[in-house]
Amino acid sequence: MNDADVGKQVQQMVRFIVQEADEKASEITVAAEEEFSIEKLQLVESEKRRVRQEYERKEKQVDVRRKIEYSTQLNAARIKLLQAQDDVVTGMKESAGDALLRVTKDANAYKRVLKGLIVQSLLRLREPALVLRCREADRSLVEAVLEVAKKEYAEKAKVNLPKVIIDGKVYLPPQRTSRDAHGPFCSGGVVLASQDGKIVCDNTLDARLSVSFRQKLPEIRKKLFSGQVSQ
């Protein structure tokens, strides 16, 4: 084999090696591009998921804040409404209290009320001996009806006349002079107790008003605030 043939073979080998290298390089380039495309797609999808999750998180935060604000406003409105209802009910009770004061100004009518309250208290306590407390201003009226009340009680309960002592040392407080007045007050009526003080019947006009108002409160609220938010 001469030099020319050897040169040709060498060139063929070189071309083969170069071609093979080009093919390998092309394969590597294609594989790298495919891998890059896959990684890029994965990164894009990952970023999309992150953005979606962040958006959903913020959307939930906004929704939670909106619900909290709505609940806060609703509760504030409900409290305001309930307070307004309470103000109306309190005003009605105060007006009823004012009406009680007018009852005590009619001596004859008030004497009948006192007698009825004493009889009722005696029937509740059913004690043979009791202490009666009243306002100092009412003492003469109480003394005027006490015996009649004792007899009425004895007839109804079919018992002997009870012994009732009017407390001359401790009186119920006087009536209030105005709605804004502070301190204890009593619009009228009586308080009876057993001699040992263990059993007490508060039959003052204020106590009767409170009991009646408490019993009638659901009905009052229903009539006044039907269809509104109520307690």
Side-chain angles (χ1 to χ4, degrees), residues 77-101:
R78 183 179 289 112
I79 291 172
K80 188 175 181 179
L81 176 60
L82 293 177
Q83 183 60 55
Q85 291 182 359
D86 285 341
D87 291 343
V88 172
V89 172
T90 300
M92 289 182 62
K93 188 175 181 181
E94 289 179 347
S95 296
D98 293 339
L100 291 180
L101 298 180

Side-chain angles (χ1 to χ4, degrees), residues 176 181-185:
R176 63 181 178 180
H182 298 288
F185 66 89

Side-chain angles (χ1 to χ4, degrees), residues 77-228:
R78 183 179 289 112
I79 291 172
K80 188 175 181 179
L81 176 60
L82 293 177
Q83 183 60 55
Q85 291 182 359
D86 285 341
D87 291 343
V88 172
V89 172
T90 300
M92 289 182 62
K93 188 175 181 181
E94 289 179 347
S95 296
D98 293 339
L100 291 180
L101 298 180
R102 292 193 292 272
V103 170
T104 62
K105 291 179 180 178
D106 185 337
N108 291 327
Y110 186 39
K111 282 170 65 175
R112 290 193 296 271
V113 171
L114 285 172
K115 181 178 76 70
L117 293 174
I118 294 171
V119 172
Q120 188 180 61
S121 300
L122 292 171
L123 288 169
R124 286 183 180 177
L125 296 176
R126 292 183 178 271
E127 290 285 320
L130 303 106
V131 176
L132 182 151
R133 290 193 179 98
C134 62
R135 299 186 306 180
E136 189 171 7
D138 294 340
R139 182 176 180 115
S140 60
L141 296 176
V142 171
E143 289 174 341
V145 300
L146 182 57
E147 290 303 317
V148 177
K150 287 164 57 177
K151 289 178 182 178
E152 184 175 329
Y153 158 71
E155 291 175 0
K156 288 183 176 181
K158 295 182 174 18
V159 296
N160 295 326
L161 288 177
K163 180 181 179 182
V164 180
I165 300 173
I166 299 176
D167 193 334
K169 295 181 179 180
V170 180
Y171 290 101
L172 300 180
Q175 69 183 40
R176 63 181 178 180
T177 55
S178 68
R179 288 187 179 182
D180 298 328
H182 298 288
F185 66 89
C186 177
S187 300
V190 294
V191 173
L192 272 75
S194 57
Q195 284 192 321
D196 58 10
K198 292 182 178 180
I199 307 174
V200 179
C201 177
D202 185 347
N203 229 359
T204 59
L205 297 181
D206 305 289
R208 293 299 301 272
L209 174 61
S210 295
V211 171
S212 298
F213 214 80
R214 187 164 56 250
Q215 291 174 344
K216 292 289 185 180
L217 188 56
E219 183 179 345
I220 292 172
R221 286 188 176 279
K222 184 177 180 180
K223 288 183 178 180
L224 289 177
F225 313 121
S226 178
Q228 297 181 1

